[in-house]
Amino acid sequence: MKKINPREFNTTALAFLGDAVYEVYVRNHLMENGDQNADRLHKRAIRYVCAAGQDKAVRVLMEGFLTEEEVALVKRARNRKTASKARSADAVTYKMATAFEALMGYLHLAGERERLEEIVEEAFKIIENRKGTKPNEQSG
């Protein structure tokens, strides 16, 4: 896949794609233990896909794990004016969650699978309150 310039994409469209990409990672993560009960899986997924979980993850990731380019994309997505409103989160939390999803969409489109997986794994650790988030050497 060709390298894309994140400035060429509408961050809302990136978040649209990123929501689906992240959801697949969450579902795979939850099914790793062999649970096949869809109701239980859905209930367990909520903490990962809700705005509060994504907001928490992206805020911690911005403190040294993300590259400067990734932070710039998150900030651009966070600051984008949008007509959509959160159903179960305050506006700031919703904007940060949308910014997290935009980052997921960007990395997917850019073909940065390894980096996407690193960030998703760190996000899971943060949401689950496990240790993680060592600073990234790529950050400037």
Side-chain angles (χ1 to χ4, degrees), residues 31-47:
M31 291 186 73
E32 285 175 350
N33 72 357
D35 191 349
Q36 294 182 21
N37 182 292
D39 290 333
R40 276 194 307 266
L41 290 166
H42 176 73
K43 287 176 184 170
R44 290 176 54 211
I46 291 170
R47 75 189 234 186

Side-chain angles (χ1 to χ4, degrees), residues 7-102:
R7 297 194 181 282
E8 294 176 1
F9 282 84
N10 175 314
T11 56
T12 305
L14 291 173
F16 169 77
L17 176 61
D19 177 54
V21 169
Y22 181 64
E23 179 83 22
V24 169
Y25 278 101
V26 168
R27 290 178 184 215
N28 282 329
H29 177 70
L30 294 175
M31 291 186 73
E32 285 175 350
N33 72 357
D35 191 349
Q36 294 182 21
N37 182 292
D39 290 333
R40 276 194 307 266
L41 290 166
H42 176 73
K43 287 176 184 170
R44 290 176 54 211
I46 291 170
R47 75 189 234 186
Y48 298 93
V49 299
C50 71
Q54 293 176 358
D55 169 63
K56 177 182 175 183
V58 77
R59 286 178 187 277
V60 174
L61 290 167
M62 289 175 71
E63 296 173 3
F65 191 82
L66 298 181
T67 66
E68 288 181 28
E69 181 182 25
E70 292 163 350
V71 169
L73 177 71
V74 167
K75 288 180 178 180
R76 186 165 63 91
R78 175 198 64 197
N79 294 336
R80 181 169 177 83
K81 198 166 190 119
T82 180
S84 61
K85 299 201 186 263
R87 290 178 290 192
S88 59
D90 63 81
V92 174
T93 300
Y94 181 73
K95 283 182 158 288
M96 289 301 289
T98 301
F100 175 78
E101 292 172 347

Side-chain angles (χ1 to χ4, degrees), residues 104-120:
M104 300 291 101
Y106 165 70
L107 292 170
H108 177 77
L109 280 179
E112 300 283 343
R113 184 178 179 146
E114 186 176 321
R115 182 63 178 151
L116 174 61
E117 290 176 359
E118 288 174 358
I119 292 171
V120 167

